Amino acid sequence: MDATLEPSPLPGTIAEAAYRLRTGTLTATDLARACLEGIARLEHRLKAFITVTEDEALEAAETLEAELKQGKDRGPLHGIPIVHKDLYDTAGVLTTIGSELFRQRVPREDATVVRKLKVAGTVMLGKTNLSEFAAGTSGTNRAFGDTANPWDLARSAGGSSSGTAAAVAAGLCLGGTGSDTGGSIRIPASWSGIVGLRPTFGLVSLHGCHPRAYSLDCGGPLARTVADVAILLNAMVGYDPRYRHSIRAPKVDYTAHLGKGVKGLRLGIVEGYTFRDVDQEVGDAIQAAADRLAELGAQVKTVGVPVLNDPAGHSSLLDVLLYEFNQILGAQYRAIENKEEMFEPIVRANILRGEAISRETYEKLLAERPKRMAAMKVVFREVDALLTPTTPTVAPPLDADPEVFDRARRFNLPVSFLGLPALSVPCGFSAAGLPIGLQLVADTLQEALLLRIAAAYEEATRFYRRRPSVHIAREPEAYT
């Protein structure tokens, strides 16, 4: 759990790598090869990957390197090594959704997000581990191994986007894709000490991404810094007619206002919610973050948000998720005879609970959604963004009780149901050296605002400069 400030010969951010690639102090091939060497050295400890695409990565890097020499520049992601959560389809490359059921599945076509990032010039290093079918927040996986947290290998990196988070935190790549249904980007970002963004529902196409729950799923980026997340988001967004929930939104450069600061912005602590049922260290870190934002010029005040304080809300919203999960996977699940051997316990439990939820109950819950969304619109007339913990605890042990991992969704699932954008940014460390995440929530299509707030806070605190005990920058003997 050592978290020292270590220099690295490799670029630590997308922006730094982009500068070095263009000034000739680094080539795309050397960068990809260094990352692949790091993966080879650390993967047996982290279990962050299901598939490493070494040959494809080096071939792509060579092509992109030649393009730069010829004056063809695809933009800030040209030559940048990233990873994809293994539920995004990748043409000709194994895509398992973390399940034994799809261990041999090889798609013919890239998911829209994969294609967009490829066109932007990224180099795919591999496909990352996840909870089976993105079910659960633990990042454990019986078929492909439990993803360990680089800050403490006995603890969870968070799920379900566990592999991407661990790979980014350990410096094995400069960013990656995740998906978020009830917190699967934000939870691993918090527990792994990186930045993760769940965009507005429908802003990022999920065509070619295996669904967990149609009404809640979002795709988004994870990276070390806020600016890197903004750069990735620029490449990921856009209307896609092949994705039924895709929305048409004004074109935005999410990097444009990162340096504007927070002076004059109104930030809300939610009465009876932000500090309810959170561990002391987490609560203290969130309060310190609110105080720091106030020092930077934001107006921080307490607001009432009844829609977030419904005591039955979490359970009922989970019913939406599990009903849809059963609709998506249930038929395949019931056709398998050896269910205990094929599926993780959490998947079996999710299907059984989903089967028990009536269509009437499900439709009634969905019918409440517009009313809840309208209530949030009223809140955002009073404040520009809300402050909560990302998770009420730091990363628990990998073998913690399921109830511990269920608790992680407390501040995430309600935001998912409302379709709002939310970002997790590091805001401190526990006494044991484990990261703590601050969640920022804003109105729909206000990703640029969230990134602006997070960037100001990140620059003022610089928690991103700390390195976990398992990191590519460390010498090999540090892991023995």
Side-chain angles (χ1 to χ4, degrees), residues 21-22 28-29 59-75 77-79 118-123:
L21 289 171
R22 285 159 183 79
T29 304
E59 182 179 349
E62 288 173 4
T63 298
L64 291 161
E65 183 178 318
E67 286 183 0
L68 271 185
K69 289 178 180 177
Q70 295 161 9
K72 180 180 179 181
D73 192 333
R74 302 192 188 201
L77 288 172
H78 193 120
K118 185 181 293 184
V119 169
T122 60
V123 175

Side-chain angles (χ1 to χ4, degrees), residues 113-128:
V113 162
V114 173
R115 177 182 57 79
K116 281 176 167 286
L117 286 165
K118 185 181 293 184
V119 169
T122 60
V123 175
M124 182 181 75
L125 300 174
K127 306 295 293 295
T128 51

Side-chain angles (χ1 to χ4, degrees), residues 260-270 289-290 293-303 305 376-388 439-443 446 449-450 452-454 456:
K260 287 188 67 174
V262 296
K263 189 174 182 179
L265 294 179
R266 303 161 302 163
L267 306 179
I269 291 173
V270 184
L293 286 162
E295 291 171 3
L296 294 171
Q299 178 190 355
V300 180
K301 60 181 181 177
T302 300
V303 292
V305 188
M376 289 303 298
K377 290 286 185 186
V378 175
V379 172
F380 287 121
R381 294 175 195 162
E382 188 177 350
V383 294
D384 297 298
L386 299 174
L387 308 178
T388 79
Q439 179 176 238
L440 300 164
V441 183
D443 201 358
Q446 293 299 308
L449 175 64
L450 289 180
R452 171 187 164 187
I453 297 167

Side-chain angles (χ1 to χ4, degrees), residues 278-301:
V278 300
D279 289 0
Q280 184 68 46
E281 287 182 307
V282 173
D284 290 346
I286 300 305
Q287 183 60 63
D291 293 343
R292 192 73 180 97
L293 286 162
E295 291 171 3
L296 294 171
Q299 178 190 355
V300 180
K301 60 181 181 177

Side-chain angles (χ1 to χ4, degrees), residues 282-455:
V282 173
D284 290 346
I286 300 305
Q287 183 60 63
D291 293 343
R292 192 73 180 97
L293 286 162
E295 291 171 3
L296 294 171
Q299 178 190 355
V300 180
K301 60 181 181 177
T302 300
V303 292
V305 188
V307 71
L308 293 179
N309 274 308
D310 178 2
H314 181 89
S315 177
S316 63
L317 299 184
L318 196 58
D319 283 349
V320 172
L321 190 162
L322 297 180
Y323 178 90
E324 293 188 353
F325 186 59
N326 177 54
Q327 296 299 307
I328 292 162
L329 186 64
Q332 283 178 295
Y333 174 84
R334 286 182 282 276
I336 302 293
E337 291 186 6
N338 57 333
K339 293 179 178 58
E340 291 190 4
E341 295 178 17
M342 184 63 71
F343 299 102
E344 299 264 4
I346 190 170
V347 171
R348 302 198 304 270
N350 277 194
I351 292 290
L352 289 174
R353 181 169 167 183
E355 288 175 332
I357 300 165
S358 69
R359 184 176 183 84
E360 180 183 10
T361 297
Y362 166 72
E363 291 180 345
K364 182 179 179 182
L365 288 166
L366 278 190
E368 295 176 7
R369 200 176 194 181
K371 181 174 67 176
R372 295 191 183 201
M373 289 176 170
M376 289 303 298
K377 290 286 185 186
V378 175
V379 172
F380 287 121
R381 294 175 195 162
E382 188 177 350
V383 294
D384 297 298
L386 299 174
L387 308 178
T388 79
T390 308
T391 57
T393 71
V394 295
L398 278 162
D399 60 358
D401 291 337
E403 293 79 13
V404 174
F405 291 107
D406 287 342
R407 186 182 170 205
R409 293 193 188 97
R410 167 168 164 62
F411 296 104
N412 290 260
L413 188 55
V415 175
S416 299
F417 186 70
L418 295 164
L420 301 171
L423 178 147
S424 180
V425 61
C427 69
F429 293 85
S430 70
L434 297 169
I436 298 169
L438 167 69
Q439 179 176 238
L440 300 164
V441 183
D443 201 358
T444 53
L445 298 179
Q446 293 299 308
E447 285 78 8
L449 175 64
L450 289 180
L451 290 159
R452 171 187 164 187
I453 297 167

Side-chain angles (χ1 to χ4, degrees), residues 34-111:
C35 290
L36 290 164
E37 289 172 354
I39 292 168
R41 177 157 53 96
L42 302 182
E43 171 57 13
H44 72 287
R45 289 179 171 270
L46 294 174
K47 300 292 191 295
F49 287 82
I50 290 177
T51 303
V52 178
T53 52
E54 180 173 359
D55 293 341
E56 295 92 334
L58 292 174
E59 182 179 349
E62 288 173 4
T63 298
L64 291 161
E65 183 178 318
E67 286 183 0
L68 271 185
K69 289 178 180 177
Q70 295 161 9
K72 180 180 179 181
D73 192 333
R74 302 192 188 201
L77 288 172
H78 193 120
I80 300 299
I82 68 165
V83 296
H84 290 296
K85 186 176 181 177
D86 200 33
L87 47 58
Y88 286 96
D89 283 352
T90 41
V93 177
L94 193 68
T95 304
T96 69
I97 310 99
S99 177
E100 189 69 46
L101 185 66
F102 293 129
R103 182 177 280 274
Q104 305 300 325
R105 179 176 177 271
V106 178
R108 296 180 180 179
E109 181 183 4
D110 284 334

